[in-house]
Amino acid sequence: PPPKAILLVLAASYGGGTLAFLLADLPVALATAAANVLVPTALAAYLVIFGSRRAREVYGNPVVRAPCAFLASVAKTRTIFTFIDLFTQEYVTPGAPPAPVATILLGTLSGCGGGIILSISNLLDTNLASPTEFSAPGWGAKSAFLTAALYYLLVDPAAHVGASFFSVGALRKDDARLAILIGMAALAVAMVVVPQFDPAMPADAVASAVWRLPGVAGRKADEREARERDAEKVKIGGELTRGKGVAE
């Protein structure tokens, strides 16, 4: 239904930033004048892409999707950068014990919270039969974590990591931002141009071998099991309907 679809569009677009900023007690963009631009932009994108079959066909073309993926990646990384900067300014004192876990995890949430909300909605729609970003994280969650971790370690906002582990200290913030932004955007475009390309596959293979985490194979297995369960439910429902018809 359109109301639910519109809410999911807003959640997918700004859910991550909203959740992370709320948890950190920081100003939320949707509660400021920025909402006057953010909300109409998301709604316009929804109406254009999902309101027209021709628009969906055009968007499905890799030539169109590649620059869209580039811009989406840039927006996502900038959101993560902004959150980590504000969070460390508000809660981290230079030279004090660092808070890398909270900073990186909330930074990750700011970049992938929308995807988590969508996966939970899909889980409820399929009667708990589909995997979520928690049980089988996709590239959206993994790239957000990678961005947050790299930015925290390279910029070293608490002036602790560099002093403790690297003799060269932290990189200049602008250099780190540019390097991470270009790298993540390039990976996003590559995944559109080459659909079989999965940047996380090497890490998934190592993690699956060491910790037996649900990597690519696990995600596909979960999806296959969900489809099989759905098919079984449909089959049982059909048999019950036929049995009822015979009885009548």
Side-chain angles (χ1 to χ4, degrees), residues 136-165:
W139 175 243
K142 294 172 183 176
S143 62
F145 175 79
L146 182 61
T147 299
L150 284 175
Y151 187 62
Y152 182 86
L153 294 174
L154 292 176
V155 174
D156 191 13
H160 181 87
V161 178
S164 300
F165 301 102

mmCIF file of all heavy atoms in Angstrom, residues 136-165:
data_model
loop_
_atom_site.group_PDB
_atom_site.id
_atom_site.type_symbol
_atom_site.label_atom_id
_atom_site.label_comp_id
_atom_site.label_asym_id
_atom_site.label_seq_id
_atom_site.Cartn_x
_atom_site.Cartn_y
_atom_site.Cartn_z
ATOM 1 N N ALA A 136 22.290 -12.089 8.335
ATOM 2 C CA ALA A 136 23.068 -12.238 7.100
ATOM 3 C C ALA A 136 23.286 -10.854 6.482
ATOM 4 O O ALA A 136 22.614 -10.472 5.523
ATOM 5 C CB ALA A 136 22.339 -13.155 6.120
ATOM 6 N N PRO A 137 24.207 -10.070 7.050
ATOM 7 C CA PRO A 137 24.404 -8.697 6.554
ATOM 8 C C PRO A 137 24.857 -8.656 5.101
ATOM 9 O O PRO A 137 25.689 -9.460 4.674
ATOM 10 C CB PRO A 137 25.493 -8.147 7.493
ATOM 11 C CG PRO A 137 26.188 -9.354 8.034
ATOM 12 C CD PRO A 137 25.134 -10.413 8.128
ATOM 13 N N GLY A 138 24.291 -7.720 4.360
ATOM 14 C CA GLY A 138 24.679 -7.527 2.974
ATOM 15 C C GLY A 138 25.774 -6.484 2.854
ATOM 16 O O GLY A 138 26.317 -5.997 3.850
ATOM 17 N N TRP A 139 26.072 -6.102 1.607
ATOM 18 C CA TRP A 139 27.149 -5.146 1.390
ATOM 19 C C TRP A 139 26.818 -3.780 1.987
ATOM 20 O O TRP A 139 27.716 -3.034 2.391
ATOM 21 C CB TRP A 139 27.437 -5.008 -0.094
ATOM 22 C CG TRP A 139 28.448 -3.952 -0.413
ATOM 23 C CD1 TRP A 139 28.249 -2.819 -1.149
ATOM 24 C CD2 TRP A 139 29.823 -3.915 -0.003
ATOM 25 N NE1 TRP A 139 29.400 -2.085 -1.221
ATOM 26 C CE2 TRP A 139 30.389 -2.735 -0.520
ATOM 27 C CE3 TRP A 139 30.614 -4.762 0.764
ATOM 28 C CZ2 TRP A 139 31.713 -2.379 -0.305
ATOM 29 C CZ3 TRP A 139 31.939 -4.426 0.982
ATOM 30 C CH2 TRP A 139 32.472 -3.234 0.459
ATOM 31 N N GLY A 140 25.536 -3.441 2.075
ATOM 32 C CA GLY A 140 25.166 -2.156 2.654
ATOM 33 C C GLY A 140 25.668 -2.012 4.086
ATOM 34 O O GLY A 140 26.277 -1.000 4.451
ATOM 35 N N ALA A 141 25.438 -3.044 4.905
ATOM 36 C CA ALA A 141 25.892 -3.003 6.296
ATOM 37 C C ALA A 141 27.409 -3.141 6.384
ATOM 38 O O ALA A 141 28.068 -2.456 7.172
ATOM 39 C CB ALA A 141 25.213 -4.116 7.090
ATOM 40 N N LYS A 142 27.972 -4.014 5.562
ATOM 41 C CA LYS A 142 29.419 -4.234 5.608
ATOM 42 C C LYS A 142 30.188 -2.995 5.159
ATOM 43 O O LYS A 142 31.214 -2.636 5.750
ATOM 44 C CB LYS A 142 29.793 -5.437 4.738
ATOM 45 C CG LYS A 142 29.251 -6.748 5.267
ATOM 46 C CD LYS A 142 29.467 -7.883 4.279
ATOM 47 C CE LYS A 142 28.853 -9.173 4.785
ATOM 48 N NZ LYS A 142 28.953 -10.271 3.805
ATOM 49 N N SER A 143 29.697 -2.330 4.118
ATOM 50 C CA SER A 143 30.384 -1.129 3.641
ATOM 51 C C SER A 143 30.276 0.002 4.658
ATOM 52 O O SER A 143 31.206 0.797 4.820
ATOM 53 C CB SER A 143 29.799 -0.691 2.294
ATOM 54 O OG SER A 143 28.422 -0.353 2.415
ATOM 55 N N ALA A 144 29.139 0.079 5.359
ATOM 56 C CA ALA A 144 28.986 1.105 6.397
ATOM 57 C C ALA A 144 29.978 0.855 7.536
ATOM 58 O O ALA A 144 30.610 1.791 8.038
ATOM 59 C CB ALA A 144 27.551 1.105 6.932
ATOM 60 N N PHE A 145 30.121 -0.404 7.944
ATOM 61 C CA PHE A 145 31.075 -0.738 9.002
ATOM 62 C C PHE A 145 32.503 -0.439 8.554
ATOM 63 O O PHE A 145 33.299 0.136 9.310
ATOM 64 C CB PHE A 145 30.947 -2.208 9.381
ATOM 65 C CG PHE A 145 31.981 -2.658 10.380
ATOM 66 C CD1 PHE A 145 31.839 -2.370 11.725
ATOM 67 C CD2 PHE A 145 33.103 -3.360 9.962
ATOM 68 C CE1 PHE A 145 32.799 -2.770 12.648
ATOM 69 C CE2 PHE A 145 34.070 -3.759 10.870
ATOM 70 C CZ PHE A 145 33.914 -3.471 12.215
ATOM 71 N N LEU A 146 32.830 -0.820 7.318
ATOM 72 C CA LEU A 146 34.175 -0.575 6.802
ATOM 73 C C LEU A 146 34.479 0.915 6.754
ATOM 74 O O LEU A 146 35.574 1.360 7.134
ATOM 75 C CB LEU A 146 34.310 -1.196 5.414
ATOM 76 C CG LEU A 146 35.678 -1.077 4.731
ATOM 77 C CD1 LEU A 146 36.752 -1.760 5.558
ATOM 78 C CD2 LEU A 146 35.625 -1.687 3.324
ATOM 79 N N THR A 147 33.510 1.704 6.306
ATOM 80 C CA THR A 147 33.695 3.151 6.234
ATOM 81 C C THR A 147 33.916 3.745 7.620
ATOM 82 O O THR A 147 34.836 4.544 7.839
ATOM 83 C CB THR A 147 32.476 3.806 5.576
ATOM 84 O OG1 THR A 147 32.322 3.304 4.239
ATOM 85 C CG2 THR A 147 32.630 5.321 5.519
ATOM 86 N N ALA A 148 33.062 3.362 8.572
ATOM 87 C CA ALA A 148 33.174 3.902 9.926
ATOM 88 C C ALA A 148 34.494 3.505 10.583
ATOM 89 O O ALA A 148 35.165 4.332 11.216
ATOM 90 C CB ALA A 148 31.997 3.423 10.777
ATOM 91 N N ALA A 149 34.887 2.233 10.422
ATOM 92 C CA ALA A 149 36.127 1.761 11.046
ATOM 93 C C ALA A 149 37.347 2.438 10.437
ATOM 94 O O ALA A 149 38.257 2.890 11.158
ATOM 95 C CB ALA A 149 36.228 0.242 10.898
ATOM 96 N N LEU A 150 37.387 2.521 9.115
ATOM 97 C CA LEU A 150 38.528 3.162 8.454
ATOM 98 C C LEU A 150 38.630 4.635 8.842
ATOM 99 O O LEU A 150 39.725 5.139 9.128
ATOM 100 C CB LEU A 150 38.403 3.018 6.939
ATOM 101 C CG LEU A 150 38.729 1.647 6.344
ATOM 102 C CD1 LEU A 150 38.442 1.646 4.850
ATOM 103 C CD2 LEU A 150 40.182 1.266 6.610
ATOM 104 N N TYR A 151 37.497 5.314 8.846
ATOM 105 C CA TYR A 151 37.523 6.742 9.163
ATOM 106 C C TYR A 151 37.984 6.976 10.599
ATOM 107 O O TYR A 151 38.795 7.863 10.865
ATOM 108 C CB TYR A 151 36.136 7.343 8.951
ATOM 109 C CG TYR A 151 36.093 8.848 9.103
ATOM 110 C CD1 TYR A 151 36.836 9.661 8.255
ATOM 111 C CD2 TYR A 151 35.317 9.454 10.083
ATOM 112 C CE1 TYR A 151 36.803 11.042 8.385
ATOM 113 C CE2 TYR A 151 35.275 10.825 10.223
ATOM 114 C CZ TYR A 151 36.025 11.617 9.368
ATOM 115 O OH TYR A 151 36.010 12.988 9.507
ATOM 116 N N TYR A 152 37.487 6.157 11.509
ATOM 117 C CA TYR A 152 37.879 6.321 12.917
ATOM 118 C C TYR A 152 39.375 6.062 13.092
ATOM 119 O O TYR A 152 40.082 6.809 13.773
ATOM 120 C CB TYR A 152 37.080 5.377 13.798
ATOM 121 C CG TYR A 152 37.414 5.524 15.274
ATOM 122 C CD1 TYR A 152 36.768 6.475 16.058
ATOM 123 C CD2 TYR A 152 38.383 4.721 15.872
ATOM 124 C CE1 TYR A 152 37.073 6.629 17.397
ATOM 125 C CE2 TYR A 152 38.692 4.863 17.214
ATOM 126 C CZ TYR A 152 38.043 5.817 17.968
ATOM 127 O OH TYR A 152 38.364 5.969 19.297
ATOM 128 N N LEU A 153 39.881 4.997 12.479
ATOM 129 C CA LEU A 153 41.286 4.639 12.657
ATOM 130 C C LEU A 153 42.229 5.604 11.945
ATOM 131 O O LEU A 153 43.294 5.943 12.462
ATOM 132 C CB LEU A 153 41.522 3.210 12.160
ATOM 133 C CG LEU A 153 40.829 2.107 12.968
ATOM 134 C CD1 LEU A 153 41.031 0.762 12.291
ATOM 135 C CD2 LEU A 153 41.337 2.076 14.398
ATOM 136 N N LEU A 154 41.828 6.055 10.750
ATOM 137 C CA LEU A 154 42.711 6.933 9.987
ATOM 138 C C LEU A 154 42.737 8.356 10.531
ATOM 139 O O LEU A 154 43.786 8.994 10.610
ATOM 140 C CB LEU A 154 42.295 6.948 8.513
ATOM 141 C CG LEU A 154 42.502 5.633 7.743
ATOM 142 C CD1 LEU A 154 41.963 5.773 6.327
ATOM 143 C CD2 LEU A 154 43.967 5.228 7.715
ATOM 144 N N VAL A 155 41.567 8.858 10.914
ATOM 145 C CA VAL A 155 41.495 10.235 11.414
ATOM 146 C C VAL A 155 41.900 10.305 12.880
ATOM 147 O O VAL A 155 42.438 11.317 13.339
ATOM 148 C CB VAL A 155 40.074 10.796 11.215
ATOM 149 C CG1 VAL A 155 39.928 12.158 11.860
ATOM 150 C CG2 VAL A 155 39.762 10.887 9.729
ATOM 151 N N ASP A 156 41.651 9.213 13.616
ATOM 152 C CA ASP A 156 42.039 9.141 15.025
ATOM 153 C C ASP A 156 41.477 10.322 15.817
ATOM 154 O O ASP A 156 42.218 11.147 16.371
ATOM 155 C CB ASP A 156 43.561 9.102 15.135
ATOM 156 C CG ASP A 156 44.041 8.749 16.543
ATOM 157 O OD1 ASP A 156 43.206 8.310 17.345
ATOM 158 O OD2 ASP A 156 45.225 8.925 16.818
ATOM 159 N N PRO A 157 40.150 10.455 15.906
ATOM 160 C CA PRO A 157 39.554 11.644 16.537
ATOM 161 C C PRO A 157 39.878 11.770 18.026
ATOM 162 O O PRO A 157 39.853 12.875 18.570
ATOM 163 C CB PRO A 157 38.052 11.443 16.309
ATOM 164 C CG PRO A 157 37.893 9.971 16.151
ATOM 165 C CD PRO A 157 39.130 9.504 15.450
ATOM 166 N N ALA A 158 40.156 10.656 18.684
ATOM 167 C CA ALA A 158 40.448 10.726 20.110
ATOM 168 C C ALA A 158 41.927 10.958 20.385
ATOM 169 O O ALA A 158 42.344 10.995 21.539
ATOM 170 C CB ALA A 158 40.005 9.430 20.797
ATOM 171 N N ALA A 159 42.734 11.120 19.340
ATOM 172 C CA ALA A 159 44.181 11.319 19.483
ATOM 173 C C ALA A 159 44.800 10.222 20.353
ATOM 174 O O ALA A 159 45.634 10.465 21.205
ATOM 175 C CB ALA A 159 44.479 12.686 20.080
ATOM 176 N N HIS A 160 44.330 8.986 20.120
ATOM 177 C CA HIS A 160 44.780 7.872 20.947
ATOM 178 C C HIS A 160 45.368 6.739 20.093
ATOM 179 O O HIS A 160 46.426 6.209 20.403
ATOM 180 C CB HIS A 160 43.618 7.332 21.769
ATOM 181 C CG HIS A 160 43.995 6.188 22.667
ATOM 182 N ND1 HIS A 160 44.492 6.371 23.937
ATOM 183 C CD2 HIS A 160 43.957 4.845 22.464
ATOM 184 C CE1 HIS A 160 44.750 5.198 24.482
ATOM 185 N NE2 HIS A 160 44.428 4.253 23.615
ATOM 186 N N VAL A 161 44.666 6.393 19.012
ATOM 187 C CA VAL A 161 45.105 5.270 18.190
ATOM 188 C C VAL A 161 46.473 5.544 17.584
ATOM 189 O O VAL A 161 47.385 4.731 17.648
ATOM 190 C CB VAL A 161 44.069 4.966 17.080
ATOM 191 C CG1 VAL A 161 44.561 3.827 16.199
ATOM 192 C CG2 VAL A 161 42.730 4.626 17.702
ATOM 193 N N GLY A 162 46.617 6.721 16.982
ATOM 194 C CA GLY A 162 47.890 7.051 16.355
ATOM 195 C C GLY A 162 49.026 7.116 17.357
ATOM 196 O O GLY A 162 50.128 6.623 17.110
ATOM 197 N N ALA A 163 48.764 7.709 18.523
ATOM 198 C CA ALA A 163 49.808 7.836 19.537
ATOM 199 C C ALA A 163 50.223 6.472 20.068
ATOM 200 O O ALA A 163 51.368 6.273 20.460
ATOM 201 C CB ALA A 163 49.306 8.715 20.675
ATOM 202 N N SER A 164 49.292 5.519 20.074
ATOM 203 C CA SER A 164 49.575 4.231 20.671
ATOM 204 C C SER A 164 50.154 3.230 19.677
ATOM 205 O O SER A 164 51.008 2.422 20.034
ATOM 206 C CB SER A 164 48.294 3.636 21.274
ATOM 207 O OG SER A 164 47.787 4.488 22.272
ATOM 208 N N PHE A 165 49.684 3.268 18.426
ATOM 209 C CA PHE A 165 50.030 2.200 17.497
ATOM 210 C C PHE A 165 50.824 2.654 16.274
ATOM 211 O O PHE A 165 51.559 1.875 15.696
ATOM 212 C CB PHE A 165 48.750 1.495 17.021
ATOM 213 C CG PHE A 165 47.954 0.894 18.143
ATOM 214 C CD1 PHE A 165 46.832 1.521 18.628
ATOM 215 C CD2 PHE A 165 48.341 -0.296 18.718
ATOM 216 C CE1 PHE A 165 46.103 0.968 19.671
ATOM 217 C CE2 PHE A 165 47.613 -0.862 19.760
ATOM 218 C CZ PHE A 165 46.495 -0.228 20.234
#
